[in-house]
Amino acid sequence: AKMDVGGTKIVGAHVGSQFRTSAIVSAILSLLGVICYLAFRFEFKYGLAAVIAVIHDAICACGLYVIFGGRINPSVIAALMTIVGYSLNDTIVIFDRIREMKELSPDMKFADLVNAAVNATLSRTLLTTLTTVLVVATIMLFSGGDIQNFATVMFMGLFIGTYSTIFIASAFI
């Protein structure tokens, strides 16, 4: 039987270097955009807190993936950027609640305000994460190749992102 090669996945050093540079520049520009957007929508400290939390998410998820033997490739970078977006969305929900509660209770201590906002959004955050984890775990278990790499990084990142939304972003502001 004759075998026919449908395609190959070899990336040269020059292309790999360009990919790495493009990924780093894209990540930096997007994080600066997030800071500007949140500074405009809320205050500068909110933007800085959100960016610190999502950098934490990306570094931890990537680090865990590499520690367990994974290799960084475009699907892993896509998963990391998806984690950043997912975590950022959760963080903005909490920041919105802080702003709403601040207007309703202007004499409440800020630490109590943040705590109340986190508690008010906690069930929504946990249920959304649980639902997403079920889907990502299914993909992780029943797929292969790049899709499995993407799902594995997402699986770790969902837990890390939920943790950082609750304990890092809100605590930092």
Side-chain angles (χ1 to χ4, degrees), residues 65-115:
Y65 182 69
V66 170
I67 285 171
F68 287 115
R71 294 181 51 99
I72 306 301
N73 60 32
S75 66
V76 171
I77 299 297
L80 292 172
M81 297 310 289
T82 305
I83 291 165
V84 165
Y86 191 91
S87 180
L88 191 58
N89 180 57
D90 271 351
T91 302
I92 288 174
V93 167
I94 291 177
F95 288 174
D96 265 339
R97 188 58 57 100
I98 291 170
R99 183 175 56 186
E100 290 169 6
M101 295 177 105
K102 192 175 183 180
E103 290 173 8
L104 295 173
S105 306
D107 39 324
M108 187 180 222
K109 288 194 310 188
F110 193 71
D112 294 335
L113 192 71
V114 171
N115 188 43

Side-chain angles (χ1 to χ4, degrees), residues 3-147:
M3 190 163 155
D4 187 27
V5 177
T8 60
K9 285 187 170 182
I10 298 172
V11 176
H14 181 68
V15 174
S17 173
Q18 285 179 331
F19 168 72
R20 182 177 52 249
T21 302
S22 295
I24 291 169
V25 168
S26 298
I28 290 170
L29 290 176
S30 65
L31 292 176
L32 288 174
V34 166
I35 289 175
C36 292
Y37 168 71
L38 291 177
F40 174 75
R41 186 164 176 200
F42 299 101
E43 296 174 31
F44 179 75
K45 69 181 179 180
Y46 288 86
L48 200 55
V51 166
I52 287 170
V54 297
I55 288 172
H56 164 272
D57 300 345
I59 288 172
C60 289
C62 186
L64 273 176
Y65 182 69
V66 170
I67 285 171
F68 287 115
R71 294 181 51 99
I72 306 301
N73 60 32
S75 66
V76 171
I77 299 297
L80 292 172
M81 297 310 289
T82 305
I83 291 165
V84 165
Y86 191 91
S87 180
L88 191 58
N89 180 57
D90 271 351
T91 302
I92 288 174
V93 167
I94 291 177
F95 288 174
D96 265 339
R97 188 58 57 100
I98 291 170
R99 183 175 56 186
E100 290 169 6
M101 295 177 105
K102 192 175 183 180
E103 290 173 8
L104 295 173
S105 306
D107 39 324
M108 187 180 222
K109 288 194 310 188
F110 193 71
D112 294 335
L113 192 71
V114 171
N115 188 43
V118 169
N119 286 331
T121 59
L122 189 59
S123 65
R124 174 224 175 259
T125 298
L126 294 177
L127 288 173
T128 303
T129 300
L130 178 63
T131 304
T132 310
V133 162
L134 292 174
V135 173
V136 169
T138 303
I139 294 169
M140 187 175 72
L141 294 172
F142 298 110
S143 68
D146 285 342
I147 299 295

